Amino acid sequence: MTETVLDVRRRAAERARAVLNGTLEPDAFRAEFADVEDRAVAELLDLMDHEPLRAGLLSGGEHAYRNYQDSIREIIASLTT
């Protein structure tokens, strides 16, 4: 049976939440959804590829990291509505 677009989006939202919670590695998410042709899922993949550093000389700081997480949460919300 083929998964519907809605099923894929719901699963992607669930797995992205797991990435945010630290129970799933971003690489596992990337591997699972690499072949999915959905714009919102592609945005999640792109964000995960460009996660800002939280600390260090080249980091965007805590504010940039919170913005990054907010962006992921917005996409997750769009996947489940």
Side-chain angles (χ1 to χ4, degrees), residues 3 5 8-9 11-12 30-42 45:
E3 225 177 358
V5 172
V8 170
R9 285 176 156 230
R11 185 168 48 89
R30 285 185 201 96
E32 186 173 347
F33 294 98
D35 296 334
V36 173
E37 295 181 14
D38 183 275
R39 192 171 71 69
V41 174
L45 289 167

Side-chain angles (χ1 to χ4, degrees), residues 28-78:
F29 183 91
R30 285 185 201 96
E32 186 173 347
F33 294 98
D35 296 334
V36 173
E37 295 181 14
D38 183 275
R39 192 171 71 69
V41 174
E43 285 181 55
L44 275 173
L45 289 167
D46 185 57
L47 277 172
M48 288 182 189
D49 284 341
H50 297 96
E51 179 178 352
L53 297 173
R54 292 176 80 172
L57 183 61
L58 300 175
S59 75
E62 200 60 38
H63 180 72
Y65 192 75
R66 279 194 308 272
N67 285 342
Y68 162 78
Q69 287 187 321
D70 289 344
S71 296
I72 288 181
R73 285 186 184 97
E74 287 173 15
I75 296 171
I76 290 170
S78 76

